[in-house]
Amino acid sequence: MANLGFWHLAQQNGDALALVDPCGRELSRAQLLSEANRIVHGLRALGLGTGDVVAIIAPNCWEFIATNLAVTQAGLYMVPINWHLTGPEIAYILEDSGAKAFIVHEKVAEAALAAKQQAKFPDSGAFAIGRVDGFRPFAALGEGQPDTLPEGRTAGAVMNYTSGTTGKPKGVRRPLSGLDPETAHELYAMMQMMFGIQPGADNVHFCGSPLYHTAVLVWASTALHMGHAVVLVDKWDPEGMLQLIEKYRVTTSHMVPTQFTRLLKLPEEVRSRYDVSSLRNMIHAAAPCPPDIKRAMLAWWGPTIYEYYAATEGGGTLCTPQDWLENPGTVGKAWPTADIRILDDEGNELPAGEKGMVYMLMAQNARFEYRGDQKKTAENRRGDYFTVGDIGYLNERGFLFLCDRKIDMIISGGANIYPAEIENALILHDKVADCAVFGIPNDDWGEEIKAVVQPAEGVEAGEALTAELMAFLQSQLAKMKWPRSIDYLPELPRDPNGKLYKRRLRDPYWQSRERQV
C-alpha cells in the first residue's frame, strides 16, 4: 500500500494520464495535482481549517475531481450536492452543513444563485465554474497560489446527504480519521482489491454516472489513488460508452442495472461493432439487476461483472461472477469484516429462506451519525446493525437475495407482492424501454397492482400494447402478480444514476384517494 495514493504517484510519475474530462481534455497526474494543490492553498487563504465544509454542485468535470483531491488532503469535508435540486433545497444543505465555501457550475446557475441568496452565503466564499452572477470565477480560488503540497496535510472526507424517503435530507458525517492523506485511502483500495482490481497504470476506469453519488465518487477517486486513469463523461449513453471503452481500453467501471438494460437494447450490429475485450471488473450496484439482464451481460462481456450491496451509511455484500452463476439472483455474501442479518418487525433474527428486513453491520471505522438528527440516526438501527429499508432473505449458504424496499411492497388481499419481481419480467419485453410497478388503492383488496411503462422508441402506447404486455406477463407470473392496469409515460422519472423516483408516480393515486375520503 505504501506506493499507492494519487499525490505520491503524481510526484513519482507526473506524465502518466490521470483524467479525461467530458470535453475530451486529457490531464496528466502532474497537472491534476497542481490544480488540487492550488485549490487547497486558496481555501486556506479564505480561512478554512480542519473540519470545515466545502459544498460543490456541478456536473461531472475535472474541477469536481480536483476539488475532491484538494479537500481530502486538507482535513476538510466535501459536500457534493445533487444538481437536480431546487434553490431552496440547495440552500437547506448549505445552511445545515455549515459550508464555508460554495463551488457551483454555470449549468445550474439559476438554482445556485437562488440558494446563495436564500442562505445569505457570502460572496467571498462563492465560486463558479463558468459565469454565474454573484460568484467569483473558479480560477480565482487558486489564482496566484503555489502548486506545491500544502503544509500540515491531513485526511479529509466526503459528507454525502441522503435523499431519504421522508423529511429533509441528512448529512452522513463520519469523524475525520486524522490519518496522513497518503494512507487514508487504503480502506477503499482494499475494497477494490476484493473485486480483483489491482493497482497499476494498465487499468482505466470509466465514470459515466454523476459524481454527487456516494459510490460513484468513491470508485472514481479510489481509481486515481490506485494509479488508474479515469475517463469521465457528463452524460451517459450506451453507444458512447462502448466507443470510449474501445478508445481508452477501459478495464473497470461502476454501473447500475438500467445502464445494462439500455446497452442490451442496442441493435446487435451496434453492440458487435466495438471491441470490449479490455474489460476486467465491471461493478454494479444501486438496485437488484433482473436475472435475465445480468445473464445476457455475462454472455456478452464475459465473467467481468461483479456486484455489491451497500449504502451511503455502510455495507455490505460482494458477488463475483461465479457466485452469481451458482446462486442466480443473489447480490452476494457479506464481505470480510461485514455481516448481514434478516430481522422481523420485532427485531428477531429470521432463519435462512425467510423474508424480513435486511440489516448490515457497521464496521467500527464506519460509525456515523446523521448530522443534527440523533432520532434519525437511532431509528434505523438495531444495536450495531442498520437498515436502509430493504426486504430480503439469506439462503443456506449465506447469500443475500433482495425482494424490494419495504415502502414499495404491495399488500393486496393480505398477500405480500414485491414489485421488483414484476418489473424484472416486464423490462424483458422488446417494446418496453423502462417500467415501474407499485400499489394503488383498491376498496376490496386494500391495494392493487399498477404498472407504468415507458414504451421503446417508435412504439405506440395504447390498448393494443397493453394487451400484448398483459399476455406476456401472464406467461411469466402467477395471477396474483398481474397488474390490474398499465399506464404510459414518454419517460420515467429517473436521476442520471438510474435511481427511479417511484414516489412521484405512486403518490398522485393515493392523494386522489385522500381527497375522495
Side-chain angles (χ1 to χ4, degrees), residues 240-479:
M241 179 180 185
L242 296 178
Q243 291 171 342
L244 290 170
I245 287 172
E246 181 176 87
K247 179 177 180 179
Y248 287 101
R249 306 298 295 160
V250 167
T251 59
T252 71
S253 187
H254 186 279
M255 303 180 66
V256 292
T258 53
Q259 292 172 331
F260 289 158
T261 301
R262 291 173 186 175
L263 281 161
L264 288 168
K265 287 185 182 285
L266 287 171
E268 177 58 35
E269 61 269 21
V270 174
R271 288 168 48 191
S272 61
R273 189 180 300 155
Y274 299 98
D275 179 4
V276 296
S277 62
S278 60
L279 300 180
R280 298 176 189 164
N281 307 88
M282 307 303 280
I283 318 300
H284 75 92
C289 185
D292 285 349
I293 296 294
K294 186 155 183 177
R295 193 173 286 110
M297 288 301 300
L298 284 165
W300 179 14
W301 285 1
T304 66
I305 300 175
Y306 294 72
E307 182 173 1
Y308 71 94
Y309 169 71
T312 298
E313 295 88 341
T317 67
L318 164 65
C319 183
T320 68
Q322 187 63 34
D323 287 338
W324 194 91
L325 290 170
E326 294 174 357
N327 303 269
T330 186
V331 295
K333 181 182 278 190
W335 62 51
T337 74
D339 187 37
I340 302 292
R341 290 183 178 178
I342 308 298
L343 306 182
D344 64 18
D345 289 343
E346 286 71 47
N348 301 308
E349 189 165 1
L350 296 173
E354 289 198 26
K355 298 170 182 175
M357 194 77 81
V358 180
Y359 280 81
M360 294 178 274
L361 176 66
M362 293 179 292
Q364 187 63 42
N365 60 3
R367 294 292 190 265
F368 69 93
E369 67 174 24
Y370 292 107
R371 178 179 170 84
D373 195 335
Q374 290 295 328
K375 181 175 181 294
K376 180 177 173 66
T377 301
E379 67 187 9
N380 78 331
R381 294 185 181 175
R382 295 277 188 177
D384 289 336
Y385 290 74
F386 76 97
T387 183
V388 293
D390 288 327
I391 293 174
Y393 65 93
L394 295 169
N395 70 8
E396 295 289 348
R397 300 176 61 198
F399 285 91
L400 176 64
F401 293 76
L402 297 180
C403 301
D404 223 319
R405 302 299 301 271
K406 185 171 185 179
I407 193 173
D408 291 333
M409 186 175 70
I410 301 168
I411 303 176
S412 183
N416 294 342
I417 298 170
Y418 300 100
E421 184 180 1
I422 307 168
E423 292 165 349
N424 288 351
L426 192 53
I427 193 63
L428 297 178
H429 197 284
D430 289 343
K431 294 182 180 179
V432 175
D434 202 357
C435 64
V437 174
F438 49 89
I440 64 173
N442 181 289
D443 290 337
D444 294 327
W445 298 91
E447 290 183 273
E448 65 179 65
I449 303 170
K450 167 71 74 175
V452 178
V453 166
Q454 175 184 325
E457 187 175 352
V459 175
E460 183 177 349
E463 293 181 5
L465 180 58
T466 297
E468 184 175 343
L469 296 180
M470 289 297 291
F472 176 74
L473 289 175
Q474 288 166 12
S475 70
Q476 304 290 316
L477 301 169
K479 186 175 181 179

Side-chain angles (χ1 to χ4, degrees), residues 207-252:
C207 179
S209 299
L211 288 166
Y212 61 70
H213 282 284
T214 306
V216 178
L217 181 56
V218 166
W219 284 81
S221 61
T222 302
L224 288 171
H225 288 306
M226 294 183 74
H228 307 167
V230 174
V231 178
L232 194 63
V233 298
D234 180 22
K235 186 175 181 180
W236 183 90
D237 80 89
E239 187 173 0
M241 179 180 185
L242 296 178
Q243 291 171 342
L244 290 170
I245 287 172
E246 181 176 87
K247 179 177 180 179
Y248 287 101
R249 306 298 295 160
V250 167
T251 59
T252 71

